[in-house]
Amino acid sequence: MHGAFWYAGRSTAELYYWRVRAHLTPRSVCFQNAVRTAVALSAVRLVVGELSLAHGFWALLTTLTVMSTSAADTRTALRPALRGTLAGAVVAALILHFAVDAPVVYAVMLPPCMFLAFASGSVLGPGWGQAFFTLTVAAAFSQVARSGPELAAARVLDVLAGAFIGAFVGLLAWPHGGTGELRRACARVLDQGTRAVTDVTDTITEGARVTDALPGARLAQRIAEASYAEFAIERHVRRPEGVTSDTDFQVIMLVGNRVITMGQILLDNCPPGALAAWPLSAAHLRDAAHRLRLSTLEFSHDLRSGQGRPAPVDGPTDDAPADSTVIRDVCAASAGRDPDPLLYYAVDAAIWLASLQRAIGAARTPRAATGTTTSPWSEGLS
């Protein structure tokens, strides 16, 4: 997976292979959720078989319905699902009792119940969806074979079995959701990203051998994006008023993306050692890259451990290599003649490093809930 457009021209099967391969790790939330769901469904199938429950597939469907990516979300989904199923079962039992020999009743009620089962959940809440779905399955099965109130009782028993097994498995397997995994994934993004930054900088300034740091950063970014997607849909503990998070994970996602895109551009356009002809700029770029990596070590450790110490990084200090230093060197080197096109990449690399430094500092600083955000890239490019 090399190049900015490595996926262009690849077959669909190959793209699926790379996507699956990227998540074949216990650190992937996709892998974790697949294992959690597989264990829950296997347990439900075992219970259904041992107890010989009628219509046992309802238990499997209930498990898929109530299981979320965290124990808290599963518990939140469990209560309305049970309440709705019980309410729907009571109504279904009454209908099945009084209209047991009137199939036309079930034929008439099936279409509106099915519509409401799929439409009411998002509008009125999941409990209503489960209630109407219970009526739907009662109307459907009653048209296939003669049924009585025992069908509603079987529905309730299956839902209870599936719901409680799903909740139990969710409580045991990764119960805290994606927050902890997102922290570890962001730490890997910073670690692999800054490793790639130093690798790219050393390559274009002194001709060092290109390693696999950039593909490693790309893989870490993919895992982190999946973790962030899960984190974004979960419920979280409310923080003190005025602070939305102790870490701006979205900025870390932007940092990883910026490392990959600009790092690949520099490697594609600058041969190894291309900037060695300007030793002052090359030295400043290498110094800035290594300072960036050192400044993120403590931040990465805090992310892995879940600590939230104040940010020690406020951007490059006066004695740190800055983009202005490289710009002055480039201007001096090109005075009175047409500049070498490679010098423009030296300036781009300097601005890239400075903006990454500012962005990482912004990611660690708690955000105020003001409703407006300032991009760290705008400061880095000013």
Side-chain angles (χ1 to χ4, degrees):
M1 297 193 303
H2 298 282
F5 301 101
W6 64 270
Y7 49 83
R10 304 293 181 96
S11 65
T12 302
E14 190 174 1
L15 293 176
Y16 273 116
Y17 165 77
W18 283 111
R19 180 176 290 274
V20 172
R21 180 182 175 183
H23 290 283
L24 285 179
T25 168
R27 296 272 66 92
S28 168
V29 293
C30 296
F31 180 87
Q32 294 175 7
N33 289 329
V35 172
R36 184 209 307 260
T37 304
V39 171
L41 292 179
S42 300
V44 172
R45 179 63 185 86
L46 180 62
V47 170
V48 168
E50 289 295 326
L51 299 180
S52 300
L53 298 179
H55 308 294
F57 67 93
W58 287 340
L60 300 175
L61 293 177
T62 302
T63 300
L64 294 176
T65 301
V66 303
M67 277 196 69
S68 299
T69 57
S70 67
D73 287 355
T74 299
R75 184 176 63 252
T76 301
L78 182 64
R79 287 173 291 187
L82 294 180
R83 287 197 300 263
T85 300
L86 290 174
V90 170
V91 176
L94 293 175
I95 295 175
L96 291 170
H97 176 72
F98 291 105
V100 64
D101 293 321
V104 65
V105 174
Y106 307 122
V108 171
M109 65 179 287
L110 180 59
C113 286
M114 182 173 292
F115 173 78
L116 292 172
F118 289 102
S120 62
S122 58
V123 178
L124 302 176
W128 287 93
Q130 287 296 320
F132 285 115
F133 188 74
T134 301
L135 294 175
T136 298
V137 296
F141 279 91
S142 296
Q143 295 181 70
V144 176
R146 181 184 176 92
S147 302
E150 64 274 6
L151 179 63
R155 164 73 177 169
V156 172
L157 185 60
D158 289 333
V159 168
L160 288 175
F164 284 111
I165 291 177
F168 181 71
V169 173
L171 181 64
L172 296 181
W174 297 287
H176 299 297
T179 304
E181 199 56 58
L182 177 60
R183 288 184 174 275
R184 289 185 288 271
C186 286
R188 287 193 297 273
V189 167
L190 294 176
D191 179 62
Q192 294 294 328
T194 53
R195 189 188 302 274
V197 167
T198 57
D199 178 65
V200 170
T201 305
D202 291 344
T203 299
I204 65 177
T205 57
E206 59 182 14
R209 182 177 64 88
V210 179
T211 66
D212 60 348
L214 199 57
R218 187 178 288 111
L219 178 61
Q221 177 75 3
R222 184 169 301 174
I223 298 296
E225 287 173 350
S227 299
Y228 184 80
E230 179 174 311
F231 170 82
I233 63 174
E234 292 176 347
R235 299 174 182 268
H236 304 288
V237 179
R238 298 188 63 180
R239 299 184 179 276
E241 185 178 356
V243 176
T244 59
S245 176
D246 59 346
T247 301
D248 196 334
F249 295 113
Q250 195 170 25
V251 171
I252 298 179
M253 298 294 102
L254 294 174
V255 167
N257 182 267
R258 184 66 171 170
V259 167
I260 295 168
T261 54
M262 191 60 192
Q264 192 65 56
I265 290 174
L266 291 174
L267 288 180
D268 291 341
N269 293 277
C270 297
L275 303 183
W278 300 276
L280 180 59
S281 292
H284 277 281
L285 290 175
R286 287 194 300 271
D287 191 24
H290 288 276
R291 283 177 179 268
L292 175 68
R293 177 158 177 76
L294 290 175
S295 67
T296 59
L297 292 179
E298 185 181 0
F299 187 16
S300 299
H301 176 269
D302 290 347
L303 284 173
R304 288 189 180 93
S305 62
Q307 299 177 4
R309 288 177 288 185
V313 180
D314 295 322
T317 57
D318 293 338
D319 59 339
D323 48 350
S324 58
T325 305
V326 175
I327 294 175
R328 286 195 300 267
D329 183 45
V330 167
C331 292
S334 60
R337 59 183 177 84
D338 293 334
D340 191 311
L342 289 175
L343 286 174
Y344 294 116
Y345 289 107
V347 176
D348 288 341
I351 296 175
W352 175 51
L353 294 170
S355 62
L356 288 175
Q357 184 77 54
R358 293 187 176 93
I360 291 174
R364 190 169 188 179
T365 304
R367 296 171 294 161
T370 58
T372 59
T373 58
T374 301
S375 171
W377 307 118
S378 61
E379 182 182 357
L381 296 176
S382 59

